[in-house]
Amino acid sequence: MHTQEPGAVRHHSVIIVGGGQAGLSISWYLKKAGIDHLVLEKHQVGHAWRNERWDSFCLVTPNWQCNLPGYPYAGDDPYGFMKKDEIVAYLDGFVASFQPPVREGVTVTRLSREAALWRIDTSEGAYSADQVVVAVGGYHIPVVPRAAERLPADIVQIHSSQYLNPQSLPEGEVLVVGTGQSGCQIAEDLHLAGRRVHLGVGDAPRVARTYRGKDVVAWLDEMKYYDLPVDQHPLGTGVREKTNHYVTGRDGGRDIDLRKFALEGMQLYGKFEGIDGDVARFGAGLKGYLDEADAVSESIKDSIDKFIAANQIEAPTEARYVPLWQPPSDQARALDLRASGIAAVVWCIGFRTDFSWINAPVFDGRGYPGHVRGVTAAEGLYFLGLPWQYTWGSGRFSGIDRDARYLFDHIAALRAQAGQPLMSQAA
């Protein structure tokens, strides 16, 4: 690793914080244009894909949607769903295709404005830059409820980002809390391995894998849903707070139907509310959560039906979903952890953002950066890879190229306006 002299500040025209698909994508454009820049990565390029996904993890969107700059998916299974190792290989191939200037193992501790430059304090010393792109996504601090502190000490508890496989958990039954994409897929992973699973269900929506002869993602792509800007979405920027629809690409792709799991022996509960002694408590809303998730899935089918009819598309008809199971009227709201043999709890209730290391007046009261397509009010400060930064695909393999290109155009125009050279001199 490069060692700086004490007190030295190395300057680059652009510094990118984060070496995931977002940071690498903007690097691709900058390198192609000959603009001096550096990517600072706290761990290893693609760290989250390598180290924060379980062994059976796979994409929930088809491979053909993977379209990093100059590097579209070129495998032999465009309608399949890449597994974890394949995703890492795809990202590594992208890196090899253009050799970005990356420094791994460098933690950025503070970003602040000094005169006309941005100062970036790191674990290996200070840098400065004319422009900075913060490309660390929006999932930083794993959320674990305070109630976790009251779990019996001999029950193993982990966050979804730490889950690897069923064998990594102690023998016994498992409580999974949360039904976003991670919660549902981890519950399924355990269930398919023969583990007895108890699932605390939340208000996440679901979507069908296929409908009327085609993957639902393909229909939504044809309907231009993935081109819909956040400011034109019916929920506006509020869509950024919504949980993703659960579905899976496992074994070629299929629905995730919690009612089917219940018929097969998985125990479903309402939303987790807390722990009293050895008893986990849940709300009474299980039926409502299941019904609403189904209603969202059926409403998406409604929109597909309208699109097919309006465009006179030939497509097979398909019977609509009929619920396979209903919660009993005396739905259980308590789970005795001891009596049930619960050996582990997996918390799948998401992440919080943490931009506390950035000293710039661009954040709202909840710590979210104010921006328009990633451009902030602070000159030369940009964000890239945030969920719904501009469209549904922002931060994903499908839409990051568009966002990166937009920011590159903005950076290039600003540099030209200021008469800044492409290649910088050391400060």
Side-chain angles (χ1 to χ4, degrees):
M1 179 178 291
H2 169 76
T3 301
Q4 292 179 236
E5 295 181 6
V9 178
R10 180 177 293 271
H11 183 82
H12 290 275
S13 300
V14 182
I15 281 186
I16 301 161
V17 183
Q21 66 262 23
L24 295 172
S25 292
I26 187 69
S27 175
W28 187 90
Y29 280 101
L30 292 168
K31 185 168 184 179
K32 183 179 179 183
I35 295 179
D36 161 58
H37 70 286
L38 181 67
V39 181
L40 300 177
E41 166 54 42
K42 181 177 182 179
H43 300 289
Q44 179 185 7
V45 165
H47 168 78
W49 295 108
R50 301 175 196 276
N51 301 292
E52 296 180 3
R53 303 291 191 274
W54 54 94
D55 293 349
S56 65
F57 179 91
C58 59
L59 294 178
V60 299
T61 51
N63 296 334
W64 58 262
Q65 273 209 330
C66 296
N67 188 33
L68 293 176
Y71 202 76
Y73 174 80
D76 58 4
D77 190 17
Y79 299 102
F81 306 87
M82 283 191 282
K83 298 177 182 178
K84 176 181 175 178
D85 290 346
E86 295 170 316
I87 299 167
V88 171
Y90 173 65
L91 197 61
D92 285 345
F94 177 53
V95 170
S97 74
F98 75 105
Q99 295 294 318
V102 179
R103 295 195 62 75
E104 296 179 321
V106 179
T107 301
V108 175
T109 57
R110 181 176 171 84
L111 173 62
S112 56
R113 188 74 169 173
E114 288 193 357
L117 297 176
W118 288 96
R119 179 185 172 99
I120 303 96
D121 291 298
T122 81
S123 56
E124 67 167 14
Y127 289 85
S128 66
D130 303 315
Q131 287 98 22
V132 175
V133 180
V134 178
V136 296
Y139 307 116
H140 305 143
I141 301 176
V143 174
V144 175
R146 290 298 301 268
E149 300 171 5
R150 297 194 291 275
L151 269 177
D154 59 336
I155 294 180
V156 171
Q157 54 176 314
I158 61 173
H159 186 264
S160 59
S161 59
Q162 300 169 299
Y163 174 76
L164 296 176
N165 52 52
Q167 296 73 39
S168 65
L169 298 181
E171 292 185 6
E173 303 189 10
V174 182
L175 169 61
V176 177
V177 178
T179 49
Q181 286 184 358
S182 294
C184 287
Q185 291 176 49
I186 288 173
E188 180 189 49
D189 193 46
L190 292 162
H191 180 68
L192 293 178
R195 301 296 291 267
R196 171 85 162 173
V197 177
H198 301 258
L199 180 61
V201 178
D203 57 3
R206 78 179 185 95
V207 63
R209 179 76 274 167
T210 61
Y211 182 60
R212 298 192 66 176
K214 192 179 295 187
D215 194 294
V216 168
V217 170
W219 283 122
L220 294 176
D221 183 67
E222 284 189 37
M223 294 160 63
K224 306 300 182 185
Y225 174 77
Y226 301 127
D227 296 326
L228 179 69
V230 65
D231 58 0
Q232 294 180 26
H233 193 281
L235 297 177
T237 57
V239 71
R240 292 171 176 157
E241 305 296 323
K242 302 296 287 185
T243 305
N244 289 322
H245 301 66
Y246 58 83
V247 68
T248 184
R250 185 165 178 159
D251 300 328
R254 56 171 173 261
D255 293 10
I256 289 182
D257 187 348
L258 301 185
R259 299 180 194 268
K260 178 174 180 291
F261 290 162
L263 286 175
E264 295 170 349
M266 186 181 293
Q267 298 299 301
L268 305 186
Y269 305 83
K271 186 173 290 188
F272 173 80
E273 292 186 340
I275 295 173
D276 297 321
D278 291 340
V279 177
R281 301 202 176 278
F282 304 87
L286 175 60
K287 184 179 187 305
Y289 293 140
L290 295 176
D291 289 347
E292 181 58 28
D294 290 342
V296 171
S297 180
E298 295 306 296
S299 71
I300 294 172
K301 293 178 183 178
D302 289 340
S303 65
I304 293 171
D305 286 341
K306 291 177 182 177
F307 176 75
I308 289 172
N311 292 275
Q312 299 181 331
I313 297 171
E314 290 189 12
T317 57
E318 182 175 327
R320 286 302 190 91
Y321 174 77
V322 177
L324 305 175
W325 174 86
Q326 292 290 352
S329 57
D330 59 344
Q331 168 214 326
R333 296 185 58 186
L335 171 63
D336 189 316
L337 303 172
R338 295 289 187 198
S340 299
I342 298 294
V345 176
V346 185
W347 302 107
C348 304
I349 50 180
F351 296 80
R352 296 197 312 272
T353 58
D354 179 17
F355 295 112
S356 59
W357 51 277
I358 301 176
N359 183 23
V362 298
F363 298 97
D364 63 18
R366 302 179 63 185
Y368 185 85
H371 66 86
V372 177
R373 296 192 68 175
V375 180
T376 75
E379 183 174 327
L381 178 61
Y382 308 91
F383 286 81
L384 183 62
L386 295 171
W388 271 99
Q389 177 166 307
Y390 178 57
T391 66
W392 176 89
S394 294
R396 302 171 188 264
F397 287 136
S398 61
I400 195 64
D401 182 16
R402 170 165 43 196
D403 289 354
R405 185 169 62 248
Y406 180 84
L407 288 191
F408 164 75
D409 289 343
H410 195 279
I411 290 170
L414 188 63
R415 296 189 64 78
Q417 188 178 46
Q420 293 171 325
L422 295 184
M423 303 303 293
S424 71
Q425 301 296 318

